[in-house]
Amino acid sequence: GESVGLHLPTLSVQEGDNSIINCAYSNSASDYFIWYKQESGKGPQFIIDIRSNMDKRQGQRVTVLLNKTVKHLSLQIAATQPGDSAVYFCAAEGAGSYQLTFGKGTKLSVIP
Amino acid sequence: DTAVSQTPKYLVTQMGNDKSIKCEQNLGHDTMYWYKQDSKKFLKIMFSYNNKELIINETVPNRFSPKSPDKAHLNLHINSLELGDSAVYFCASSQRGTGNTIYFGEGSWLTVV
């Protein structure tokens, strides 16, 4: 099976600093990974994804890094803003499973 | 235009009642899901339908019955509600295939009293 965990349940960051949210997964056959952002009172929103044939992918202010050797991925947010305050989830899909398994979430708080 | 919409957003009901949550997606996806999020924010899949057929049915009490009249709709009916059913229920959709993003609705906050 797949279990996806996060190293830190909460993270506080000063506005303007960079944030790094980490995630570990257990199934080495997982081949697709997504980061979601969930603001208070809303549903999870897609941020960025990465496939197992890549080790880095960049979006607007966000970068996802994948280390398959240690089964770890991270989400980096550059110049963190108050609007980035939310709970962030990583999710992993096992090869051929068509099913995402979600981690427990990290709450990011941005200090103005 | 909301991609995945679910109603009601808030629902407060007494134990023992039966209630339904409706979901519709206008993304043209062939797969829909129901997820449950507990008070600790943990997201767990309950059901998934692909082209109106049940493809994922996790360990969920049989008081929960999903129904998919067509591939754009997936409703969740809950019988004999219990206190432990209080949670946020998210509907979601995707196009089936490896590596296809799941898109979520805004959630339905169910409180059983």
Side-chain angles (χ1 to χ4, degrees), chain B residues 4 7 16 22 24 29 32 35-36 38 42 52-54 56-57 67 69 75 78 82 85 95 102 105 108 110:
Chain B
V4 182
T7 56
K22 296 185 177 181
E24 176 182 4
H29 289 160
M32 295 185 72
Y35 281 82
K36 179 179 180 180
D38 61 22
F42 187 62
K52 302 193 298 175
E53 289 192 23
L54 184 65
I56 296 174
N57 185 356
K67 283 203 172 87
N75 303 322
I78 315 170
E82 300 178 357
D85 298 332
Q95 188 63 24
I102 293 178
S108 294
L110 172 65

Side-chain angles (χ1 to χ4, degrees), chain B residues 14-54:
Chain B
Q14 289 187 319
M15 283 175 57
N17 283 350
D18 304 338
K19 290 295 177 186
S20 292
I21 307 172
K22 296 185 177 181
C23 180
E24 176 182 4
Q25 55 95 4
N26 62 7
L27 296 166
H29 289 160
D30 61 1
T31 304
M32 295 185 72
Y33 311 81
W34 278 109
Y35 281 82
K36 179 179 180 180
Q37 187 172 49
D38 61 22
S39 58
K40 296 180 181 177
K41 299 289 189 184
F42 187 62
L43 268 168
K44 185 171 169 57
I45 190 166
M46 300 172 69
F47 303 103
S48 177
Y49 272 74
N50 174 253
N51 286 319
K52 302 193 298 175
E53 289 192 23
L54 184 65

